[in-house]
Amino acid sequence: MRKDVVPVSSPSPLPPLSPPTCPPPRPPGRRASRPAARLALCLSPVLLAGYWALANRPVAAEGAARLAAADPGWLLAGAGLTCLTWVAAACVRQGALPDRLPPGLLLASQFAAGAANHVLPGGLGAHAVTLRFLRARGVPLDRATASIGLYSLARSVARTLVLLAFLAACPARRRLGELLPDGPVPVPAAAAAGGALAVAGVLLTVVRPVRRPVTGLVRTALADVRAVHARPCRVLALWGGSAAMPLAQAGTLVCVGTSLGLGLPWEQVVLAHLAAGTAVGAVPAPGGLAVDAAVVWTLVSFGAVPAVAAAAVIGHRVLNDWLPLLPGALTLSALIRAKAL
């Protein structure tokens, strides 16, 4: 028998190999500028902290000299209450957002935000750090901005409610009326606030490029507010942390004043801190200088010795801001280097 022979096709020739494509080389100046810019960004908080410490060296030296004779146990208690303020701030940040954030990084970001507050007044430094942190966690810009607005609103409302509670319970509230200036001073302030609101309303009504993003931001904020208040854990974190923050800050002042022998009841010290912070907190002064002056003035009006009142406020500022400044700046630099911000 004859078998059919199947012809075998010859293999097709392989296409010629093309040389590997390499990305075009980057200019050497651009390649060298990126590490330099990143290093400068990481070291800028530390440099700013060192400059701030040198600029306030006389004040820091005076506060340290008076605090050297203070009771260390009460100072340690004040330092513990200062640490609670960062925990409360992290709780409020988490409560203002429906998304779950990593607790450790959130607490570190709030600790670093305290150092950033010395660069920009009015809490803008902390908001900027938090905004970068939320954007790094994948939160959209409109939702991150809405959470910062809810954070600020909840803190203001809770602080006002706590102040009203102390005003109703503390008999020293009558002395606060003596601190109010005579004459029509509140009238220009009210007129300026009304004018600002009127200008904002006209801009939102007339200018369409301004109205559209603001309307979208308000719509997003309302949706997040409903989502947050539908979860009891978020409500507790938002409003509980907002009420705990001013109490912890005032408690630090109480501990420092007790260690120095201020001689005032604790409820009067808390009332002085809350009233002065609420009245002068809107003044955009760096480092809280306007609030410190108002607290000293209020404590003296309650019957404290001026020198001891000034030392207590300086000690409160040392525990609350100056001692955590360098560690906070280093934490901010570490978060930037780790690309968590």
Side-chain angles (χ1 to χ4, degrees):
M1 287 181 67
R2 183 178 177 182
K3 296 182 179 180
D4 296 335
V5 179
V6 179
V8 179
S9 60
S10 61
S12 59
L14 296 176
L17 295 177
S18 58
T21 58
C22 298
R26 297 177 180 178
R30 183 180 177 183
R31 188 182 306 171
S33 63
R34 285 189 175 182
R38 184 177 300 175
L39 181 62
L41 184 61
C42 294
L43 293 180
S44 58
V46 180
L47 297 178
L48 289 173
Y51 173 77
W52 188 92
L54 291 176
N56 295 271
R57 184 173 51 187
V59 179
E62 181 181 359
R66 289 189 175 272
L67 289 174
D71 188 354
W74 282 106
L75 293 180
L76 185 61
L81 288 175
T82 299
C83 296
L84 288 181
T85 58
W86 304 321
V87 178
C91 290
V92 180
R93 297 288 187 187
Q94 177 62 87
L97 194 68
D99 306 81
R100 180 174 176 81
L101 301 173
L105 285 178
L106 179 60
L107 182 60
S109 69
Q110 297 311 297
F111 181 58
N117 258 347
H118 292 280
V119 181
L120 297 175
L124 296 179
H127 293 331
V129 172
T130 304
L131 183 62
R132 290 181 60 90
F133 173 74
L134 295 179
R135 294 291 292 137
R137 303 276 74 77
V139 180
L141 181 60
D142 53 350
R143 297 187 60 203
T145 308
S147 71
I148 290 176
L150 180 57
Y151 169 90
S152 302
L153 179 62
R155 282 196 58 185
S156 301
V157 172
R159 186 184 184 93
T160 303
L161 294 177
V162 173
L163 174 60
L164 291 177
F166 272 88
L167 284 174
C170 187
R173 63 182 180 274
R174 301 182 183 90
R175 298 183 183 180
L176 293 176
E178 303 174 359
L179 300 177
L180 296 177
D182 299 330
V185 177
V187 176
L197 291 177
V199 171
V202 170
L203 288 177
L204 292 178
T205 305
V206 177
V207 184
R208 187 174 181 179
V210 176
R211 183 175 68 250
R212 293 183 62 183
V214 172
T215 304
L217 180 61
V218 171
R219 190 179 297 110
T220 303
L222 293 177
D224 282 355
V225 167
R226 288 193 297 268
V228 163
H229 286 82
R231 306 173 63 179
C233 59
R234 293 290 190 269
V235 175
L236 180 61
L238 178 64
W239 294 104
S242 298
M245 285 186 67
L247 291 177
Q249 293 172 352
T252 303
L253 181 60
V254 171
C255 293
V256 176
T258 306
S259 68
L260 294 171
L262 186 61
L264 292 179
W266 67 269
E267 60 270 13
Q268 293 187 8
V269 179
V270 174
L271 179 60
H273 185 274
L274 291 174
T278 303
V280 195
V283 178
L289 299 179
V291 176
D292 290 346
V295 172
V296 172
W297 192 18
T298 309
L299 291 176
V300 171
S301 69
F302 284 168
V305 180
V308 182
V313 173
I314 291 175
H316 172 265
R317 186 60 61 185
V318 167
L319 291 180
N320 198 49
D321 290 334
W322 296 349
L323 285 182
L325 183 59
L326 182 59
L330 294 175
T331 304
L332 181 59
S333 301
L335 291 176
I336 293 175
R337 184 176 293 275
K339 297 182 180 180
L341 295 180

